[in-house]
Amino acid sequence: MTDSASTAQTMTPVRIAGTGSYLPERIMTNKDLEKSVDTSDEWITTRTGIRARRIAAEDEHTSHLAAKAGAKALEQAGIDAADIELIIVATITPDTLTPATACYVQQHLGCLKAVAFDISAACSGFLYALEMARTSVGGGAFKNALIIGAEKLSAFVDWTDRNTCVLFGDGAGAAVIVPSTNGDGRVLSSQLGTDGAQAGLLNIPGGGSACPMTTENAPESLAYLAMQGREVFKHAVNAMKKASIDGITAAGLTPKDIKLLIPHQANLRIIDAIVERLEINREDVFINLDKYGNTSAAAVAIALDEAHREGRIQRGDKILLVAFGAGLTWASAVIEW
Ligand code: UT7
């Protein structure tokens, strides 16, 4: 297990200049799922808090969702696509194994001078991307970055498996990272952690070099997301609690200073456990999993954009982002807006 912690003291601080998100049009409710698998709206709502999720169209790929979210973030930041120098897409559902989804996004958006690559850190991916952008832009290698969490999980879910298909959804969220030159908001702390020993708890077993989907020993079921839900749940609660406390402490703050908590949107019961530990008021927590389900790397990014656009984040507010996912991976970031 590794944990890396850093504060923004040794380089130029960075801030978020704009956010954006995009959700596909099609809404699939719990009631819709009752028709295809042995489940109920009551079970899904009480066990997870999820009521609906969005499903991308067949010809709408992860890069399309990502580009739409990215365009909105660029517009809000007031930065031309042509001026973006770095694009990082966090995803576990890339358009293709290679090239990276970020390369398609570069073309969709016309960010023609941007260096573009993906990172795979599951639900923690957007916060991993934030840290990569913080050090890259803060260290001076790039003058700005567009970071995007985007997923088309509907393409990797077994729609006959009630243990997983009710949980996930599609969507994308984005943020533009720039140097904070006049003290107008900055990333105060960033914490990343990984425990590869638990890699088997949540994965997509097929499609990689360990199990190419072209060989005859690779049945279709290996192409889908598999999860030991109860085990993952326990790890999620512990890791997100620790990442939250570590992040707040590294920022030189206490939980009372946090104006808004934006957690990964996997399960309301996980969020409740974190809120209880941090003693943060429930109304200071941003939740949208009821509408979108678990969108993995996109979840924190979509929530950040919605919170921002709804006026839940004001200049000077200190916000805590925290995530957990396959890997296992976890991450937190404390941002002064
Ligand atoms: O984003 C990455 C991180 N992911 C997470 O953090 C997810 C973490 N895990 C969870 O959120 C929860 O473990 C789940 C929501 C996945 C499952 O909830 P649970 O309370 O842990 O349920 P369970 O897996 O222990 O299953 C309880 C029962 C089982 O039946 P039996 O064996 O008790 O008869 C399941 O078969 O519920 C059954 N079940 C369902 N019933 C109706 C499982 N899925 C469903 C379903 N509808 N969709």
Side-chain angles (χ1 to χ4, degrees), residues 39 43 47-48 123 162-163 229-230 264 267 269-270 294:
T39 190
W43 190 97
R47 296 288 180 126
T48 71
C123 309
R162 69 175 185 176
N163 290 297
R230 225 177 285 182
H264 177 47
N267 190 317
R269 291 185 291 137
I270 295 175
N294 182 350

Side-chain angles (χ1 to χ4, degrees), residues 187-245:
V187 176
L188 295 174
S189 75
S190 174
Q191 308 276 313
L192 309 181
T194 303
D195 182 6
Q198 309 296 336
L201 291 181
L202 176 49
N203 63 8
I204 300 174
S209 61
C211 184
M213 293 310 288
T214 48
T215 61
E216 58 190 21
N217 62 354
E220 205 179 58
S221 61
L222 294 178
Y224 300 129
L225 242 159
M227 176 167 71
Q228 295 177 36
R230 225 177 285 182
E231 276 306 302
V232 172
F233 188 103
K234 286 185 233 158
H235 284 287
V237 170
N238 291 333
M240 285 170 77
K241 278 182 187 172
K242 184 173 182 314
S244 297
I245 295 291

